[in-house]
Structure formats: structure tokens, C-alpha cells
Amino acid sequence: MKFISAKEVVKKIENNSTVATGGFVGIGVAEEILTEIEKNYLENKKPNNLTLIYAAGQGDGKEKGLNHLAYEGLVNKVIGGHWGLVPKLGNLALDNKIQGYNLPQGVISHMFRDIASGKKGTISKIGIGTFVDPQLQGGKVNEVTSENIVKDIFIENERYLYFKAPSKIDFAILRGTLADEDGNISLEKEALTLESLALAMATKNSGGKVIVQVERKVKNGSINPKLVGIPSIFVDYIVLCSDAKYHHQTFGIEYDESFVNSSIILDNVKEKSALDERKIIARRCAMFLSKDDKILNYGIGMPEGIAEVLRDGNQEHLFIPTVEPGAIGGTPAGGLSFGASSIPQAIIDQPYQFDFYDGGGLDMAFLGLAQCDSNGNINVSKFGPKIAGCGGFINISQNAKKVIFCGTFTAGGLKIKLTNDGVTILNEGKSKKFIKEVEQITFSSKTANLNNQPVYYVTERAVFKLVENGLELIEIAPGIDLEKDILNNMEFKPIISKNLKLMAKEIFEDDFKLDL
């Protein structure tokens, strides 16, 4: 093990290597090392022809994180769980300048663990019926990507997917908080532990080198052994961060003690947001909850409003939110701090969180609704010339006991007027969300029906239920005209419930509290 500068360590990365990186948005991202790789490539054209593999999206949607590696020649192939935060890599893939795969975040985090134990790949049911399925796109993101790394296998007459792992990981790039003289790494100020240990093991056991960026060096014995996140036996090079700007806790904030300390008392008094379409949707979503639905997952964006509804009614304590990279309890953060939670009850490694999710541990998941087709399939991963990627969406949506997709009925300029009597559409959105066929299947309604999974789709003017033959309209908002406001803004006609109801009137009133 050697302490080394970021500028020197990147020279150790050889051409044609497979490089794996840890991180979630900006949490756990070794920003200084990634910055130096970019500089070295621009100056010396080294390293080049890299294969990059990562589980969660690592970037700010602009310049940071894995965007530093987005150069034709530097990277040849990318296997990633999420692409939306790394648009520069996405553009290379769209232009067919690199090979690219989008695999479920949970599958890749499990793959690191499988590589560590000497397995050739990962066996899972995650992704059956989606674009990851080899009977569809097999996770390929462009035309130049030809190798089939996802295959069908059958175990006791049940169909599974086999995800082929890289033959080895040559270099892992990780981040920690402290390093002692022997090279033991603590993670106490990191908002998540992620798959750091699994990835370090995988790299070491496949003959590779593990590089870790840390804040500072401490004497041996300074780190409680239970706080060692990456033991020294897995570490080859340690980079002491030269500037705090490269080691912010998230890409959204320099440091927030509440992300790692459950004993802090926060002032949670927040003003209630205005009653608008987002709150209407969140309220209706929240009405699916019961006292038996304890363990939840909120997707980013629109689903975050459900937590606000519970907070408004002083009912947040009745449920336990979880976030896919490992946080349990507390209040999930948004924006560029997404993945962290304030005052969490616990933080576990990402592969374990996905074990829990994949095994059906979530009582309910609230996820975004970007595109929905006549069969009830959802697309959140690809839109025209943009690769967003699936992230943990497939793991979460495929196995939660109940799934609620939520979003506005149309997109792009929608304006509504809300009164105690219901909803009036003032300006319709330019883009229809309920279309004949989604561009890519991120959630498979066929798989959901085979699993007898309850699935609902909630908008500000209508609620649909997944049934055997597609979408069934079960509720409309007061003030909404079925023909003009709903059917005329869909590319298909849904099944109309014989018991079509109005959405509950209290949703549209100022004072609202769940009846639990």
C-alpha cells in the first residue's frame, strides 16, 4: 500500500484496462482522481481504450463525476446503471463512438460481489420483460454495441437472466474519509457506504489495484475497527485529497452532519407548499397507504411530494422511507444530494439494500411516470436523443409489493386551476404521456401481471389501474371532462371502469390528512 498524489496515481492506470468506480450522484465520488485522469488524457492521451463499469449514476448532469472521462479514445466501452447524470458519456454512446450497456443498478452492485467470490456473472430475474431482456435490447444502448452480455438461463424450469461480468477489474476508484498508516479506510463522513467493500474485494480478487481518495491520514489505531469500511488488505494506493472542493459530501452540499448522525435534532417546521398539481398527485398517491405499508421507496422528482404530504399531516413517523443506495429511515434528500437521508436510522451497503428490494421487502414504491403505453408499460430510461438509464427503477418497480406511478397527465406547459370543486385545465401540456407504444420498456406490465402485482398510475386528473388487458380508468377528478380532458389527450382508449368514480373531494381542499 502506498500514499500517492492524484496526479501520480492516474499514471498507474494502464491502457485497455477495465476501471470500476464507486459513487452515487456525488456521494462517494473520487472527484480529484477523475479530474486528474481527464487532465492526463488531454495532455498525454493516456490512459486510453478503457472499459468503464459503475452501478449508480455518478455526475452532476454537466461536468463532474464520470463526465471527466467522456472522451473518444479514453473510453471504449461503458457498462452503467444510470446515464442521465453523465450526458457527455451518453452523447458518445448516441454518436456510436463507444460501446454502451445500461443494466439495472442493483444487478451491477451484485455483480461486484459476485466477481469478488469468483463467479463469472450474476443470475437474476431483474429485467425480465424490459429493455434489459435479451429478447428485447439486452441492455444495449446503441448500434455499435454487438456483444450479448445478457442471456436467458433456466433453473428448475424457471426463466432467469444471466449477466456476464467482466473477466477482471483492473482498477477500482473509490472514496473514504480517513486512512490510517496501514491503509485501513473509514467512511464515517460519507453519506453512504455504497458497494465500496464489494468493489474493493472484486478488484483485489481479480488481480487488480484499488485506489482510494480520502480526506486525511491518521495514526494506526485511530479508527475503530467497526468503522473500517475498506480494510487495508484490499487497498493499493491512497490519495490524500489536495483541495476540499474535490471531496464534498455530495455534489449539492459541502457537508451535512445530519446525513451521517441520527442524534442531531433538526427544526423540521416547514411551510406547507401551495396546492398545485404536484400536491394533488402526491395526496392521491398517499391515499394508497395503510398502517401495514411500513417500508417505502420514493423515486426522485414527483414522488418526493408524498413525504411532504405525510409531513404536513404529522404522519411521516408512521412510515420508513428507504433509498436504494442504502439509507433507511430519516428524510430522503433531493437534487444533487439525492441518495442521502437526513437523520437516517441506518445506512447499509448498496448490494444489501438491493437484496432486500429484489426479495420483495418494499411494501410500496412511488415512482415517476414519464411515458405509459396501452399495456401499462412505463418508460423512464430513453427519450429520443437522450439516454437517461434505468438506475434502480427496474429493481424497485419489479419487486415492490405495490407500485404507484405518478406524474402529470401531459407534459410541457400544463397549467391548471384548482378549487374546492376540482380541476380546470387552463393550458394543456404539449406532450402526451399516455402513448400507443413507449420508446423503451423500463417497467414491464406483463411481468407485473404474471406476478399478480398491484399497480396504479396517478395523475392530477385521472387514476388508472393495471389489469390483465391493459389500463383501466378507475377515477377522474371533479371538474374534468372524460372525453375532452382525458380521452382526447391519450393515443389509445383505456378500459373505462364500470364503477368509474370521482377522486376524493378532500384531495382538492386546503386541509388534508390521511385517514390511517
Side-chain angles (χ1 to χ4, degrees):
M1 188 281 302
K2 182 179 181 182
F3 286 87
I4 190 172
S5 69
K7 187 172 184 178
E8 289 301 313
V9 83
V10 301
K11 296 176 183 178
K12 304 287 185 181
I13 301 174
E14 300 170 359
N15 298 338
N16 306 304
S17 293
T18 295
V19 176
T21 60
F24 187 98
V25 190
I27 299 167
V29 174
E31 180 70 6
E32 182 168 10
I33 296 172
L34 297 177
T35 300
E36 288 298 332
I37 292 175
E38 178 182 32
K39 289 179 181 178
N40 194 48
Y41 180 76
L42 292 175
E43 293 173 6
N44 305 305
K45 296 301 177 185
K46 291 181 180 180
N48 59 55
N49 202 40
L50 301 180
T51 293
L52 174 65
I53 181 169
Y54 61 91
Q58 298 160 32
D60 61 347
K62 298 175 182 177
E63 306 290 334
K64 293 182 178 180
L66 297 178
N67 290 293
H68 290 297
L69 309 187
Y71 292 92
E72 184 181 6
L74 196 167
V75 172
N76 174 58
K77 181 193 295 183
V78 174
I79 303 169
H82 193 274
W83 290 67
L85 294 168
V86 285
K88 290 188 174 184
L89 282 175
N91 289 337
L92 288 179
L94 287 168
D95 292 338
N96 282 305
K97 292 180 177 179
I98 60 172
Q99 300 173 62
Y101 299 89
N102 179 207
L103 303 182
Q105 182 177 323
V107 168
I108 298 178
S109 70
H110 286 160
M111 185 179 288
F112 293 143
R113 200 167 59 188
D114 289 336
I115 294 170
S117 62
K119 298 182 178 71
K120 297 293 185 182
T122 300
I123 297 171
S124 177
K125 285 194 172 185
I126 301 302
I128 289 177
T130 73
F131 74 93
V132 175
D133 195 315
Q135 295 182 12
L136 296 174
Q137 289 90 36
K140 300 170 189 172
V141 302
N142 59 16
E143 294 79 13
V144 76
T145 305
S146 58
E147 183 184 1
N148 296 317
I149 66 171
V150 187
K151 299 177 181 179
D152 284 328
I153 65 168
F154 287 83
I155 301 174
E156 295 185 355
N157 297 319
E158 281 193 60
R159 182 174 178 242
Y160 290 78
L161 301 184
Y162 171 73
F163 297 85
K164 180 183 176 183
S167 57
K168 66 175 294 190
I169 298 174
D170 297 296
F171 294 91
I173 300 174
L174 303 170
R175 196 179 86 179
T177 303
L178 304 177
D180 69 17
E181 295 162 312
D182 286 338
N184 294 297
I185 309 295
S186 73
L187 305 173
E188 71 260 38
K189 291 177 71 174
E190 309 305 313
L192 297 163
T193 57
L194 299 170
E195 64 278 1
S196 301
L197 180 58
L199 183 46
M201 282 187 183
T203 305
K204 202 66 177 176
N205 279 355
S206 55
K209 303 292 185 183
V210 175
I211 305 167
V212 186
Q213 174 183 311
V214 299
E215 281 189 10
R216 59 192 177 92
K217 181 180 178 182
V218 296
K219 292 182 178 180
N220 285 342
S222 300
I223 303 173
N224 184 314
K226 290 184 178 180
L227 294 181
V228 172
I230 310 172
S232 64
I233 60 173
F234 306 131
V235 179
D236 295 282
Y237 299 107
I238 296 174
V239 173
L240 298 178
C241 190
S242 66
D243 191 321
K245 70 179 182 180
Y246 294 123
H247 210 92
H248 286 180
Q249 192 180 36
T250 78
F251 282 153
I253 194 167
E254 186 173 345
Y255 183 70
D256 186 336
E257 179 73 16
S258 74
F259 289 163
V260 295
N261 188 342
S262 59
S263 66
I264 291 176
I265 298 175
L266 293 178
D267 180 8
N268 283 324
V269 178
K270 295 183 180 180
E271 289 187 13
K272 292 184 179 182
S273 60
L275 185 61
D276 58 9
E277 62 271 20
R278 295 177 70 90
K279 181 163 276 192
I280 293 299
I281 293 167
R283 285 177 170 183
R284 181 60 190 90
C285 286
M287 289 179 70
F288 283 105
L289 289 167
S290 73
K291 288 185 177 179
D292 295 327
D293 302 312
K294 291 292 184 184
I295 306 170
L296 313 178
N297 176 277
Y298 304 126
I300 196 167
M302 187 73 72
E304 296 176 60
I306 290 98
E308 183 182 347
V309 168
L310 294 175
R311 189 167 57 246
D312 289 347
N314 294 316
Q315 295 169 308
E316 196 175 16
H317 65 283
L318 298 175
F319 305 94
I320 302 172
T322 66
V323 192
E324 56 267 31
I328 297 172
T331 302
L336 290 177
S337 292
F338 179 64
S341 286
S342 291
I343 319 297
Q345 294 181 21
I347 298 171
I348 64 175
D349 286 0
Q350 181 166 248
Y352 289 118
Q353 189 83 303
F354 279 112
D355 286 335
F356 180 66
Y357 284 9
D358 292 356
L362 283 172
D363 292 318
M364 196 175 296
F366 299 95
L367 300 168
L369 192 165
Q371 283 183 347
C372 179
D373 67 19
S374 59
N375 294 313
N377 296 313
I378 293 285
N379 169 37
V380 297
S381 49
K382 190 177 188 301
F383 308 99
K386 180 183 178 183
I387 305 170
C390 57
F393 189 94
I394 299 177
N395 298 85
I396 297 165
S397 63
Q398 186 173 319
N399 292 295
K401 293 182 180 73
K402 184 180 289 184
V403 180
I404 316 297
F405 295 108
C406 50
T408 54
F409 196 79
T410 59
L414 173 67
K415 292 183 180 179
I416 69 171
K417 180 182 179 181
L418 294 172
T419 66
N420 287 347
D421 296 323
V423 180
T424 301
I425 308 300
L426 300 178
N427 190 70
E428 193 59 80
K430 297 176 183 177
S431 302
K432 294 179 180 179
K433 288 188 175 183
F434 291 88
I435 58 180
K436 290 180 181 178
E437 187 175 338
V438 292
E439 292 180 56
Q440 191 172 74
I441 298 175
T442 329
F443 168 80
S444 169
S445 60
K446 181 179 179 181
T447 300
N449 276 326
L450 287 171
N451 293 335
N452 296 311
Q453 183 184 38
V455 180
Y456 294 88
Y457 310 76
V458 177
T459 74
E460 79 288 348
R461 69 187 79 172
V463 180
F464 300 89
K465 179 182 180 181
L466 178 65
V467 295
E468 186 176 354
N469 297 319
L471 285 190
E472 180 182 20
L473 178 64
I474 60 172
E475 295 179 17
I476 62 172
I480 289 295
D481 182 274
L482 174 61
E483 191 72 31
K484 177 172 71 76
D485 297 324
I486 296 178
L487 299 182
N488 285 353
N489 290 292
M490 302 176 74
E491 292 184 1
F492 62 90
K493 185 174 181 179
I495 300 164
I496 309 295
S497 173
K498 293 179 181 179
N499 299 309
L500 183 63
K501 299 177 181 178
L502 287 178
M503 293 168 67
K505 190 176 180 180
E506 57 263 31
I507 296 173
F508 306 92
E509 298 173 352
D510 288 336
D511 292 324
F512 173 85
K513 186 173 181 178
L514 289 179
D515 183 16
L516 293 170

